[in-house]
Amino acid sequence: MAEYKITCCSTADVSAEHLAKLGVAFAKYHYIIDGVDHSDDLYTSLSPAEFYGMIDGGAMPTTSQVTPEELCEMFDPILAEGCDVLHIEFSSGLSGGWQSALAAQKAMQEKYPGRKIYVVDSLAASSGYGLLVDKAAELKAGGMDIDGLRAWLEENKLRLRHWFFSTNLAHFKRGGRISGPAAAIGSVLKICPVMDVNSEGKLIVRRKALGKKKAVKDLFATMCEQAEGGMNYSGKCYICHSMMDDDANMLKGMVEEAFPSLCGSVEINPIGTVIGTHTGPGTVALFYFSRDKRAL
């Protein structure tokens, strides 16, 4: 069996140290703030507080996807050393990075015709994408070959659930996820939209909660209903947030108390600069594997 390596992108919203421990290389998306282009280096060069502080101070960042050239730069040395590549890409429903990955795959396949270069559309985002990458690395470490892992990912990626809410509707309005009137009314009434990522990898508002405490309870109750194995869920669970430490820790405590068979503690990550550009501060998200696949 040929050796292979897993790669992903920075929009997986886990730490650079965590990916290094998994042996997973990542390509960097970009965010532009005050006219300056920055690589999303998973908070290596600045902290979440600094990034969201700039947004609170009036900065309006934008983002750009990873380019085929940047992906080729990541793939090339791996292929040159005789390894195959399994690249897990950010959801095609949220970014054009998927097309960049396919272009890079084609270019590298022409340069290294004897190597396997697989690209999987994660249909996932943020630390949910990170959780899928983590699971892939676990299966690889357990001896699964590249073909088996690609098949597993295609079959199981829609069982990865994303549930999140936001107390700050301005950025969702800016991105067209919520209408202007709905955002204005919701802000006054402290309504938190509860959202997920659907089977096409797109962000969908599913329901509304009155206040963040009820929104936290909504996310927790949904996991109780959906988790693979019910309350005996034995997989990993991730939470990410944008400057919502108390709420994220409250949710973590609820999950750990209710699910005694969890694989380790619930891991909390900050929402990265690229995803955070579109959510702003005020978002909490919960990720786990469910019995059933996501619906449209």
Side-chain angles (χ1 to χ4, degrees):
M1 180 178 70
E3 178 59 34
Y4 70 98
K5 293 188 178 180
I6 297 169
T7 62
C8 69
C9 289
S10 60
T11 41
D13 285 358
V14 292
S15 71
E17 292 79 11
H18 183 74
L19 291 176
K21 184 178 179 180
L22 296 177
V24 174
F26 70 94
K28 299 169 184 175
Y29 272 60
H30 299 262
Y31 65 99
I32 300 90
I33 194 163
D34 294 332
V36 179
D37 188 308
H38 301 268
S39 293
D40 177 16
D41 60 8
L42 299 175
Y43 292 123
T44 300
S45 59
L46 85 171
S47 69
E50 289 171 326
F51 175 71
Y52 289 109
M54 287 189 283
I55 293 178
D56 281 338
M60 297 290 284
T62 57
T63 62
S64 61
Q65 66 200 40
V66 66
T67 66
E69 293 75 19
E70 288 168 324
L71 288 166
C72 286
E73 287 177 7
M74 178 173 66
F75 295 158
D76 199 293
I78 298 172
L79 296 163
E81 67 182 40
C83 293
D84 296 331
V85 171
L86 193 158
H87 178 69
I88 307 173
E89 180 56 52
F90 183 44
S91 174
S92 63
L94 296 171
S95 168
W98 168 246
Q99 296 301 324
S100 292
L102 293 180
Q105 178 190 39
K106 181 179 179 182
M108 289 292 96
Q109 202 71 75
E110 291 173 355
K111 184 174 181 179
Y112 297 97
R115 300 259 58 88
K116 291 179 180 178
I117 307 166
Y118 294 154
V119 176
V120 174
D121 181 357
S122 69
L123 297 176
S126 196
S127 294
Y129 174 20
L131 181 54
L132 188 66
V133 171
D134 186 281
K135 182 65 178 180
E138 176 188 323
L139 293 170
K140 177 181 182 293
M144 188 174 285
D145 65 21
I146 189 170
D147 293 283
L149 182 53
R150 179 176 68 164
W152 187 94
L153 287 167
E154 295 293 0
E155 176 60 29
N156 291 279
K157 63 188 180 184
L158 289 180
R159 293 195 304 105
L160 175 66
R161 305 310 292 253
H162 310 59
W163 285 99
F164 57 104
F165 71 87
S166 180
T167 62
N168 182 345
L169 305 185
H171 290 268
F172 288 92
K173 171 191 170 185
R174 177 184 168 204
R177 306 295 182 183
I178 298 174
S179 69
I185 294 171
S187 296
V188 171
L189 298 178
K190 299 189 182 302
I191 292 173
C192 299
V194 176
M195 298 164 272
D196 80 341
V197 174
N198 72 2
S199 59
E200 294 182 341
K202 297 178 180 178
L203 177 63
I204 303 292
V205 177
R206 296 298 189 188
R207 47 189 180 265
K208 301 171 184 176
L210 188 58
K212 63 180 182 178
K213 287 186 178 180
K214 289 186 178 179
V216 167
K217 291 179 180 178
D218 186 299
L219 267 57
F220 170 69
T222 303
M223 181 176 176
C224 292
E225 294 172 3
Q226 295 181 337
E228 181 181 23
M231 306 311 290
N232 293 316
Y233 177 66
S234 58
K236 292 183 179 180
C237 176
Y238 281 6
I239 290 171
C240 67
H241 69 96
S242 51
M243 306 309 292
M244 297 279 280
D245 297 83
D246 291 345
D247 304 279
N249 280 296
M250 178 191 304
L251 182 56
K252 169 185 168 79
M254 293 166 69
V255 171
E256 290 182 346
E257 182 177 359
F259 294 90
S261 299
L262 279 174
C263 181
S265 300
V266 174
E267 182 173 320
I268 298 179
N269 294 292
I271 294 177
T273 54
V274 171
I275 305 297
T277 290
H278 300 283
T279 67
T283 297
V284 176
L286 176 67
F287 311 98
Y288 54 90
F289 285 94
S290 67
R291 293 183 295 266
D292 303 314
K293 294 182 179 181
R294 285 179 254 157
L296 187 61

